[in-house]
Amino acid sequence: MAITARSSKGSGVAADINVTPMIDVMLVLLIIFMIVTPAITAGFQATIPRANNPESREEAEGEIRLGIDKDGKFYLDITGPNGKYTGPRFISDADLPGQLTALYAQRTVDKILFLKADEGIDFGRVQQAIEIARKAGVRVIGAIAEQQRQIRAGEH
């Protein structure tokens, strides 16, 4: 409670709430959350899919696929503007950012890249590919996995 000087008629006690301590606590909490929030979102947790594919589908027209082989080399796989499938073509590390930037600069709606990597490569190489793609304007990256084989009864 705050004490104020009043005239001789009233008592010296006022019923006003002092909100200064509450504002101090709120500002401290705000600063703590501003510092902690970027640290929480900095780590990226990902689990590589190892289950059965929920659905099998063919490549659609206009999809862009980036492959990484067992040696860590990049292969760009696009469907041409005429609808013809070009097949995977080797692309150097130096040419990949420029090529992806050129491809995604033309797109207005779907900026999706499908990524297919060999299971034996270092994950750092996959991370590098994702960073290059993000800088090139890719909004969504989809992982392509092979259909897991089912072992039937009687097979070994």
Side-chain angles (χ1 to χ4, degrees), residues 107-155:
R107 294 177 174 253
T108 56
V109 179
D110 69 348
K111 296 191 175 194
I112 302 171
L113 175 73
F114 293 95
L115 181 66
K116 184 174 185 177
D118 187 82
E119 64 183 0
I121 66 166
D122 181 38
F123 188 72
R125 190 67 170 156
V126 176
Q127 184 73 23
Q128 182 184 15
I130 292 172
E131 288 176 19
I132 291 170
R134 290 280 184 212
K135 289 178 183 174
V138 175
R139 296 304 225 169
V140 178
I141 297 176
I144 298 176
E146 294 291 331
Q147 184 74 23
Q148 187 176 14
R149 293 183 180 213
Q150 300 284 336
I151 298 177
R152 296 185 187 127
E155 289 185 14

Side-chain angles (χ1 to χ4, degrees), residues 95-111:
D95 294 338
L96 182 62
Q99 184 73 25
L100 286 178
T101 303
L103 286 169
Y104 286 102
Q106 302 171 33
R107 294 177 174 253
T108 56
V109 179
D110 69 348
K111 296 191 175 194

Side-chain angles (χ1 to χ4, degrees), residues 42-128:
F44 177 72
Q45 300 294 327
T47 304
I48 304 297
R50 302 223 181 255
N52 294 334
N53 292 339
E55 64 182 43
S56 179
R57 71 174 187 89
E58 295 297 319
E59 291 86 6
E61 182 180 335
E63 286 184 353
I64 299 173
R65 293 167 295 281
L66 180 64
I68 308 172
D69 68 358
K70 62 182 176 167
D71 299 325
K73 295 178 184 172
F74 292 124
Y75 290 87
L76 197 56
D77 191 5
I78 59 175
T79 304
N82 57 359
K84 282 192 140 190
Y85 179 70
T86 61
R89 298 182 189 258
F90 171 77
I91 186 163
S92 68
D93 292 8
D95 294 338
L96 182 62
Q99 184 73 25
L100 286 178
T101 303
L103 286 169
Y104 286 102
Q106 302 171 33
R107 294 177 174 253
T108 56
V109 179
D110 69 348
K111 296 191 175 194
I112 302 171
L113 175 73
F114 293 95
L115 181 66
K116 184 174 185 177
D118 187 82
E119 64 183 0
I121 66 166
D122 181 38
F123 188 72
R125 190 67 170 156
V126 176
Q127 184 73 23
Q128 182 184 15

